[in-house]
Amino acid sequence: MIRRLLNVAVLVALLLANVQAQKTVKPATAGGVSPFAPFTQFSATLTSGLLKDEPRKVYRSGEFFRVDLDGTYHITDLALGTTWSIRAEHCTSVSGPDIRSYPFAAYRGYKVERFPGEGKETVDGHPCKIENVTFTQKESGLKTKMKVWKAEDLQGFPVKIELFHPARTYTVSYTNVSLDKPDAALFKVPAKCTDFQKGEAKGSKKSAAKPSNTLPKKPKP
């Protein structure tokens, strides 16, 4: 499990490799907002993704993203890029987002171009508008291209995403989507949590099995 977490940064780096531009189309929104940015409160079932994995329940509340696994849950701070792996007997923190938080953890500070797709499609019972999106890293100019199916009955939530990479096309899909704000208790982190890279505990001497009453605090600048 920890090894998989540590591989996240490598996999994300590979996914952000340069994708050659396709034929030029006038964008609907150039330098605009990411299609994922509006969705800061939701819950859903991740039915496919960047990992070959079972369907997983996921939740987002503000900058915190939770993934339910077998006997474990992961909470990623999307702003800090830190992930806590939590189970009843212990808690471990590592640097980097859980890969299942993609694409909500990715493309911050990128230039965004959004192109209208052709026609409409129904995905998992949701009528969807299709959009082609290009993310460009400002420093290097590297481009990432994807196709997004935005559910009209879910305020445009991306129920399906195809990410085009030179090696293959990755598909990320969401079912059972709710745009209601998740319970804040889902994002609690134990007061004592071991830093995997440093091998030391952070926080108070409270039992790791007992969650604190507040969300983890970001360090002061």
Side-chain angles (χ1 to χ4, degrees):
M1 185 64 66
I2 298 301
R3 179 177 296 177
R4 176 172 289 185
L5 279 171
L6 293 176
N7 286 336
V8 166
V10 176
L11 180 54
V12 170
L14 289 174
L15 293 174
L16 299 184
N18 189 20
V19 179
Q20 295 298 323
Q22 299 173 357
K23 70 176 184 178
T24 302
V25 181
K26 185 178 180 180
T29 306
V33 176
S34 165
F36 314 118
F39 303 102
T40 59
Q41 305 285 348
F42 67 85
S43 59
T45 301
L46 176 64
T47 56
S48 58
L50 304 187
L51 294 177
K52 294 181 179 179
D53 199 2
E54 298 295 325
R56 300 296 185 184
K57 191 71 176 180
V58 297
Y59 314 81
R60 183 180 181 181
S61 183
E63 294 290 6
F64 295 93
F65 194 99
R66 169 173 167 149
V67 181
D68 285 349
L69 304 172
D70 300 328
T72 307
Y73 61 97
H74 291 175
I75 295 177
T76 293
D77 184 319
L78 302 177
L80 295 179
T82 299
T83 297
W84 293 268
S85 177
I86 304 162
R87 62 173 63 238
E89 64 274 15
H90 71 269
C91 169
T92 304
S93 67
V94 297
S95 177
D98 186 288
I99 193 64
R100 301 169 193 83
S101 65
Y102 179 89
F104 297 95
Y107 310 122
R108 299 194 174 205
Y110 279 59
K111 176 184 176 183
V112 183
E113 296 174 289
R114 298 168 64 170
F115 306 82
E118 296 182 1
K120 295 184 178 181
E121 292 183 17
T122 298
V123 177
D124 192 39
H126 301 287
C128 297
K129 289 184 178 179
I130 301 171
E131 192 169 79
N132 298 304
V133 184
T134 300
F135 292 95
T136 303
Q137 191 177 47
K138 293 179 180 179
E139 293 79 7
S140 66
L142 296 181
K143 296 180 183 293
T144 300
K145 292 181 178 288
M146 62 178 64
K147 187 175 181 180
V148 181
W149 284 256
K150 304 188 303 180
E152 295 182 292
D153 56 345
L154 291 171
Q155 301 177 31
F157 187 90
V159 291
K160 180 180 176 182
I161 303 158
E162 285 186 349
L163 171 66
F164 305 115
H165 185 267
R168 57 173 289 190
T169 296
Y170 293 86
T171 301
V172 182
S173 300
Y174 299 95
T175 60
N176 306 315
V177 177
S178 171
L179 299 181
D180 294 336
K181 184 176 181 179
D183 188 342
L186 292 169
F187 303 92
K188 290 179 179 177
V189 173
K192 184 178 179 181
C193 201
T194 300
D195 187 317
F196 179 76
Q197 292 175 315
K198 295 182 180 179
E200 57 187 25
K202 299 281 187 179
S204 71
K205 300 298 182 180
K206 295 179 181 179
S207 170
K210 184 181 293 185
S212 64
N213 293 323
T214 58
L215 291 174
K217 294 182 179 179
K218 299 184 178 72
K220 293 182 181 180

